Amino acid sequence: MSGKLLEIKDLHVMYHTDLEDVYAVNGVDLELTTGETLGLVGETGAGKTTLALSILRLLPDRTGRITQGEISYNGRNLLELDKHTMAGIRGEEISMIFQDPMTALNPTQTVGQQIYEALMLHNGQHLSKKELWARVDSCLEMVGIPAARRKEYPHQFSGGMKQRVVIAIALCCEPSLLLADEPTTALDVTIQAQVLMMMKELRERLGTSMILITHDLGVVAQVCDHVGVMYAGEIIEYGSLEDVFENEKHHPYTTGLFGSIPKLDVETKRLSPIDGLMPDPTQKITGCSFASRCPHASDRCRREKPGLYREGNHQIKCFLYTGESGQEVSE
Amino acid sequence: MAKVRAAAGAEKGVSQNLEIMRRFRKNRSAMIGLSIFLLICLLAVLADVIVPYSEAITQVKGARLLPPSAEHLFGTDNLGRDMFARVIHGARYSIAFALAVSACSLVISVALGGIAGYYGGATDNVVMRALDVIMCIPGDLLALCIVAAFGTNLGNLLIALIVGQVPATVRIVRATIMGVSSADYIEAAQCHGAGDARIIARYIVPNAMGPVIVNATVNASRIIISVSSLSFLGLGIQPPAPEWGNLLAGAREFMRICPWLVYFPGLALVITSLSINMVGDGLRDALDPKIRD
Amino acid sequence: MLPIILGVTLVVFTIMYFTPGSPGELLAGANPDQAVIDQINHELGFDQPFHVRYFNFLKGIVTKFDFGTSYTSQRPVLDEIMSRFPRTLTLAFFSMISTAVVGISIGILSAVKQYSLLDYASTVVSMFFSSMPSFWIGMMLLLWIAMNFSWFPINGVASWKGYLLPCAALTFCNAAPLMRLTRSAMLETIRSDYIRTARAKGALEKRVIWKHAFKNALLPVVTNIGNNFRALLGGSVITETVFVIPGLGSYVITAIRSKDVPVVMGCTLFMSATFLVVILLTDILYAYIDPRVKAKYMR
């Protein structure tokens, strides 16, 4: 396979408001190779969206701050780029699909104008207006919307159609990395499947890498090559689809996550949800962030942060596997 | 699931109010405003103790248009009356009117807006169309007409100001109540069998109160300005009562030679309404903190 | 719109119906004979019941555009109004424009630069101005500016200079709340999802603000400017008194003092109708800005 497209090292992000500090991302390491699709799963508030916004440096101006770490894209540290260079990367090389298509489009501009803007901002080939509009049309058709509807406003579209427009905006400049933040959560199931299929197709055709954020494990299984499980701002387990879905060894949280999904092929009396709630993100956690809910937790888990256990490409942050040393272990 | 959780959130009304109080107390400008306002209220209540009312209306022939001095802190007016006494006693009118008009129009508006918002349909239509009509007449002018037609006394002034306040307030009350009553937690409450009375008392009122109170606060400062405007035009509180608008109207002729006559009552007006506005702003921020971060 | 105008006539008529005294008493001169008073009242239809008088009042307006005759000057109310209305309209119109320009531009600047010195300063200043009665601002302008610089006339609107200070007084106290509204509307818009979409597209901050946020933030502001015109018209009553401008506002005050009922009714109706026209215009403007509203109108 080709080289690393994106490399995140020890990323820490916090939100600072008048009332409290929220530690949203606490030391995330992540790698993405060209053409790969990575699924990020985890419950609400695990820091998935924050992670994606950090990559684009779109955290809320005053409150969100990247306190530590490095995000390198094609070898360039995104966190060190100036505003103009960063704006050039947004949309052109890295683009993002947002969670809620209902509010993601500007209500006072036609959908055509909104796609046109993205093309116009990254018009490296110096296309004429006419050519750009032709591109708008083909983008709309690419996502299955008749080109004639480009003159319509977002309120004239249904939720699924709006999400298609959002996807068209994100993909019109053929970015090399797509961050999809729960692109199907707000849609109903049949539309979900359509949108997912379409994204998969487009991605394959354009050769785009993707980070897919979701809490729907079914979607991950359909689309992703690799999976990262996030909990309280950390990636606690990472591996290929098979590693995470089928391998014997799992982080207790992952086990719990899968335990709370009904299975058709296994007879279970009742679902086994994970007890308790995610730790308060306003507090810094000293030990393992999952310790308070973990059935295997020991005193040590509450005191120290576990290192990484590696088995091939499969990584788990848990003392169950790291053994006595507690340091990074590879097998 | 979501609805049940939302209902739980609405039930937490008490702790939510505590949170709002906490945010309000942290807001420095709001606390300054509140202290100034309370101080002015205190001055109004204790006006007689500070300077007897007689000083505010006694005309001293030898002491006309005196500049501020130790004896007459704010100087004297063209009839030799002590401006300090007049300004202090003037606070009574402004504060009393602000409180009375706000309270009355709040009660009336909540009743009307509540009826319109909760029942909707034809009732809503009738109430709102009637108010549209009133909203169309410039407020000060409407008050002037009422006062002119019924005569200039305190009662009519009160009515005129209330009529001016009610339509806009009803709109806000209605919009808020409609927003709250269509919220999911109301449906959730109905689902687990809460009756109308319980829903109104436990869910709608606590949740709709915030915006309504903020609005009432902002209105209070407008009422103070309206009272003084009407008095300034000679159609509000009648001289020789020392209302601030009156003082300013009386001082107009002399403003060039004795500017203190317009400074002090005017500043009293500005400070009072400013303090109320600061409180209103603080309340708004406390209720809706999302804009601040 | 028509029903509302009709409603306004009814409300105004009803209120003025309760005015004590009768035109006869006002018109008959000093120490009149009761018979003369009755005679005049009869001629003016004043002795008829409420609904008949209201109907006649309406009929006069609808058929002959006749608002009655002023008790004090004996001239048709419409003529009296028309000779003064342009001044009031000029004042209100220019005040509205300068209010909008000042309020919106400062509001947007301070939202875009939230927590900057400019933001703090304009917030504090607007807080002060929105707490000031317009007549006091007017008096201060007279005291500090007009009386020190003879370039400004102290009263009247003989030349365009006469409009400057009254316009400034109205602008100060109306722009302050408008600025605060614009600021909060803008802050809310900047935080919305589609602004984030625009940023994610790679638009630079300036473009995001002007191409995306501005139009959306303007929506509540436009409505407010329309509603504000009501306050401007009402405020003109006081401002015209302070600056001694012979407009509709000062005229209505004189009429109220002299119990000239037809004039009061005529002026109030006129101002309300003007306000309605402005509201209609802002509705059209609103539809022009917001395609969702436009779609509703088209249907």
Side-chain angles (χ1 to χ4, degrees):
Chain A
M1 280 286 281
S2 39
K4 289 172 199 164
L5 182 70
L6 183 78
E7 196 174 2
I8 299 176
K9 277 187 198 148
D10 195 29
L11 186 74
H12 290 254
V13 181
M14 62 182 272
Y15 291 106
H16 171 85
T17 66
D18 289 354
L19 301 172
E20 56 200 11
D21 291 340
V22 175
Y23 300 96
V25 174
N26 308 305
V28 162
D29 294 284
L30 200 64
E31 278 177 18
L32 194 74
T33 51
T34 309
E36 178 189 333
T37 298
L38 168 73
L40 268 186
V41 295
E43 52 196 301
T44 315
K48 297 166 292 174
T49 304
T50 305
L51 181 61
L53 289 176
S54 312
I55 297 172
L56 275 179
R57 282 175 48 197
L58 281 177
L59 291 169
D61 260 352
R62 273 184 56 82
T63 48
R65 247 206 331 264
I66 297 174
T67 47
Q68 196 183 324
E70 191 181 309
I71 301 176
S72 55
Y73 169 80
N74 270 340
R76 281 195 288 178
N77 187 353
L78 293 181
L79 302 182
E80 284 165 3
L81 297 181
D82 64 82
K83 273 194 284 184
H84 290 264
T85 324
M86 196 60 220
I89 287 179
R90 285 180 199 147
E92 169 139 43
E93 296 188 46
I94 308 177
S95 63
M96 185 158 176
I97 299 173
F98 294 99
Q99 205 173 104
D100 186 0
M102 295 315 201
T103 55
L105 294 171
N106 186 339
T108 58
Q109 288 189 352
T110 63
V111 298
Q113 281 172 328
Q114 298 187 48
I115 300 173
Y116 178 86
E117 185 185 27
L119 288 166
M120 184 268 294
L121 287 168
H122 305 289
N123 190 2
Q125 297 150 279
H126 303 290
L127 298 176
S128 68
K129 260 190 177 176
K130 219 172 163 185
E131 289 166 307
L132 282 177
W133 278 111
R135 287 277 301 276
V136 171
D137 289 351
S138 65
C139 282
L140 277 172
E141 269 159 12
M142 169 179 85
V143 294
I145 297 174
R149 294 195 70 182
R150 73 167 192 219
K151 290 201 181 90
E152 292 183 18
Y153 288 92
H155 71 271
Q156 291 161 292
F157 287 76
S158 67
M161 288 303 242
K162 274 187 204 165
Q163 190 62 303
R164 283 164 187 261
V165 174
V166 173
I167 291 170
I169 293 175
L171 290 177
C172 64
C173 297
E174 304 188 356
S176 33
L177 173 60
L178 179 65
L179 309 172
D181 184 5
E182 311 207 6
T184 56
T185 311
L187 308 175
D188 61 57
V189 181
T190 40
I191 312 286
Q192 265 186 28
Q194 280 179 22
V195 168
L196 274 178
M197 281 312 293
M198 188 188 78
M199 281 175 59
K200 199 172 176 177
E201 258 175 50
L202 291 173
R203 206 172 50 73
E204 274 158 15
R205 190 143 57 83
L206 305 171
T208 311
S209 313
M210 176 161 83
I211 296 183
L212 177 70
I213 294 170
T214 179
H215 47 238
D216 186 338
L217 292 167
V219 170
V220 173
Q222 272 179 56
V223 186
C224 299
D225 309 319
H226 286 87
V227 184
V229 182
M230 270 192 98
Y231 182 79
E234 290 177 65
I235 292 186
I236 44 116
E237 179 164 354
Y238 172 86
S240 67
L241 197 59
E242 293 77 28
D243 286 339
V244 177
F245 275 62
E246 280 161 15
N247 200 314
E248 288 293 306
K249 287 176 177 168
H250 288 304
H251 191 282
Y253 175 67
T254 316
T255 319
L257 204 60
F258 281 91
S260 40
I261 300 169
K263 292 186 185 71
L264 285 180
D265 51 346
V266 185
E267 197 175 325
T268 30
K269 287 252 165 50
R270 52 183 305 167
L271 294 174
S272 46
I274 311 172
D275 284 333
L277 293 169
M278 219 162 12
D280 181 359
T282 59
Q283 305 297 321
K284 267 205 165 160
I285 304 157
T286 38
C288 170
S289 50
F290 190 58
S292 58
R293 300 166 78 180
C294 183
H296 312 288
S298 63
D299 280 348
R300 185 179 182 196
C301 297
R302 296 188 186 91
R303 277 197 322 268
E304 299 170 41
K305 275 222 176 299
L308 261 191
Y309 163 82
R310 287 173 200 267
E311 189 181 294
N313 212 4
H314 192 187
Q315 309 171 0
I316 303 173
K317 254 191 198 172
C318 183
F319 283 124
L320 283 182
Y321 310 104
T322 54
E324 279 306 304
S325 70
Q327 295 309 307
E328 298 210 353
V329 171
S330 314
E331 249 179 41
Chain B
M1 258 312 268
K3 284 186 184 173
V4 176
R5 208 178 297 152
E11 284 270 22
K12 272 195 225 151
V14 182
S15 65
Q16 205 183 329
N17 287 343
L18 281 178
E19 176 65 24
I20 290 167
M21 283 305 296
R22 197 174 73 85
R23 278 201 292 261
F24 182 77
R25 275 202 301 271
K26 266 189 91 173
N27 187 333
R28 209 183 326 146
S29 93
M31 289 315 281
I32 294 175
L34 188 64
S35 350
I36 296 176
F37 179 69
L38 290 177
L39 188 71
I40 294 169
C41 287
L42 200 68
L43 283 180
V45 171
L46 298 179
D48 279 325
V49 182
I50 300 165
V51 269
Y53 186 65
S54 59
E55 275 206 35
I57 46 167
T58 319
Q59 305 180 2
V60 182
K61 273 221 176 95
R64 285 179 183 165
L65 298 175
L66 291 179
S69 64
E71 196 186 343
H72 300 288
L73 276 179
F74 292 176
T76 59
D77 70 358
N78 56 317
L79 296 173
R81 293 173 293 197
D82 180 50
M83 281 303 274
F84 179 70
R86 289 176 74 69
V87 170
I88 294 289
H89 280 274
R92 293 192 151 184
Y93 290 96
S94 295
I95 300 287
F97 262 91
L99 295 180
V101 177
S102 309
C104 294
S105 54
L106 194 63
V107 170
I108 297 172
S109 308
V110 167
L112 279 178
I115 291 168
Y118 195 72
Y119 291 106
T123 326
D124 182 38
N125 239 327
V126 170
V127 173
M128 292 322 286
R129 289 299 82 74
L131 293 174
D132 275 352
V133 168
I134 297 180
M135 283 285 275
C136 199
I137 306 170
D140 292 338
L141 201 54
L142 183 66
L144 284 174
C145 288
I146 294 176
V147 173
F150 295 93
T152 44
N153 60 41
L154 292 183
N156 289 341
L157 186 59
L158 196 69
I159 293 171
L161 290 168
I162 291 173
V163 172
Q165 289 301 323
V166 163
T169 316
V170 171
R171 281 195 175 187
I172 288 167
V173 172
R174 171 178 169 269
T176 317
I177 289 188
M178 279 170 73
V180 173
S181 22
S182 63
D184 283 348
Y185 54 77
I186 298 293
E187 214 173 297
Q190 281 165 343
C191 283
H192 55 247
D196 265 15
R198 188 183 157 78
I199 287 179
I200 292 175
R202 294 275 303 169
Y203 296 91
I204 296 188
V205 171
N207 284 293
M209 227 157 58
V212 174
I213 288 178
V214 169
N215 180 260
T217 320
V218 176
N219 274 349
S221 84
R222 247 180 250 151
I223 291 161
I224 288 182
I225 291 180
S226 284
V227 175
S228 63
S229 302
L230 291 181
S231 305
F232 178 78
L233 294 171
L235 291 158
I237 293 160
Q238 297 297 306
E243 203 278 337
W244 293 334
N246 273 340
L247 300 189
L248 287 168
R252 251 181 96 196
E253 291 173 59
F254 310 100
M255 112 183 146
R256 187 162 199 182
I257 41 172
C258 319
W260 62 87
L261 290 181
V262 290
Y263 288 152
F264 292 116
L267 282 177
L269 254 174
V270 174
I271 291 170
T272 312
S273 93
L274 182 66
S275 69
I276 299 177
N277 275 336
M278 283 160 91
V279 174
D281 258 32
L283 280 176
R284 187 189 330 223
D285 286 349
L287 283 165
D288 184 15
K290 67 170 184 277
I291 284 180
R292 281 183 58 80
D293 48 58
Chain C
M1 181 142 167
L2 211 59
I4 291 189
I5 285 274
L6 212 61
V8 173
T9 60
L10 183 61
V11 169
V12 174
F13 190 87
T14 313
I15 293 173
M16 296 317 287
Y17 179 79
F18 290 101
T19 312
S22 64
E25 290 166 32
L26 284 167
L27 295 175
N31 299 321
D33 204 16
Q34 188 59 37
V36 181
I37 294 177
D38 289 346
Q39 172 66 24
I40 295 172
N41 283 347
H42 181 72
E43 277 168 20
L44 290 168
F46 200 78
D47 51 351
Q48 281 166 319
F50 175 82
H51 63 273
V52 178
R53 278 173 61 195
Y54 176 60
F55 181 74
N56 286 336
F57 173 69
L58 273 189
K59 202 174 82 182
I61 296 174
V62 174
T63 54
K64 292 176 287 192
F65 214 59
D66 175 13
F67 290 86
T69 310
S70 161
Y71 293 164
T72 43
S73 72
Q74 298 296 326
R75 292 179 56 206
V77 171
L78 187 65
D79 293 0
E80 297 273 8
I81 289 177
M82 286 322 271
S83 68
R84 292 173 171 86
F85 185 58
R87 298 192 196 105
T88 302
L89 192 65
T90 314
L91 180 60
F93 180 72
F94 282 107
S95 304
M96 181 170 90
I97 291 191
S98 62
T99 299
V101 170
V102 173
I104 293 177
S105 54
I106 298 182
I108 286 186
L109 270 180
S110 86
V112 171
K113 308 216 176 297
Q114 196 188 6
Y115 297 107
S116 68
L117 194 66
L118 177 100
D119 181 32
Y120 280 118
S122 59
T123 310
V124 170
V125 170
S126 79
M127 190 81 154
F128 266 97
F129 276 123
S130 53
S131 310
M132 282 183 197
S134 61
F135 66 92
W136 193 67
I137 297 182
M139 289 169 95
M140 291 295 113
L141 288 175
L142 279 177
L143 186 60
W144 289 340
I145 297 180
M147 289 184 180
N148 288 331
F149 303 95
S150 56
W151 190 81
F152 288 98
I154 290 184
N155 55 37
V157 282
S159 73
W160 59 272
K161 289 182 204 165
Y163 284 110
L164 290 179
L165 291 182
C167 208
L170 283 172
T171 304
F172 280 138
C173 60
N174 285 298
L178 188 70
M179 175 251 146
R180 290 148 59 87
L181 178 81
T182 311
R183 176 176 179 271
S184 61
M186 193 68 185
L187 285 178
E188 208 159 309
T189 310
I190 290 179
R191 279 160 180 65
S192 60
D193 282 0
Y194 54 84
I195 293 301
R196 199 169 56 179
T197 310
R199 288 198 180 119
K201 269 189 231 174
L204 281 168
E205 209 48 32
K206 225 180 218 163
R207 191 183 167 83
V208 169
I209 303 272
W210 292 110
K211 287 268 171 186
H212 293 272
F214 181 66
K215 221 171 159 188
N216 285 288
L218 218 53
L219 291 174
V221 177
V222 166
T223 321
N224 187 269
I225 291 176
N227 288 330
N228 227 327
F229 198 74
R230 176 172 174 263
L232 280 176
L233 282 174
S236 72
V237 176
I238 292 160
T239 316
E240 284 175 9
T241 309
V242 174
F243 288 92
V244 202
I245 298 170
L248 215 52
S250 48
Y251 184 47
V252 81
I253 289 293
T254 323
I256 286 175
R257 289 205 185 110
S258 58
K259 307 235 178 289
D260 198 340
V261 175
V263 173
V264 177
M265 287 197 293
C267 290
T268 311
L269 278 183
F270 230 82
M271 288 203 186
S272 307
T274 314
F275 172 60
L276 272 178
V277 170
V278 171
I279 285 291
L280 192 72
L281 289 178
T282 46
D283 275 357
I284 293 171
L285 185 62
Y286 199 112
Y288 180 75
I289 300 178
D290 190 344
R292 286 164 294 187
V293 178
K294 198 196 276 170
K296 224 185 285 168
Y297 273 111
M298 296 298 196
R299 234 174 270 145

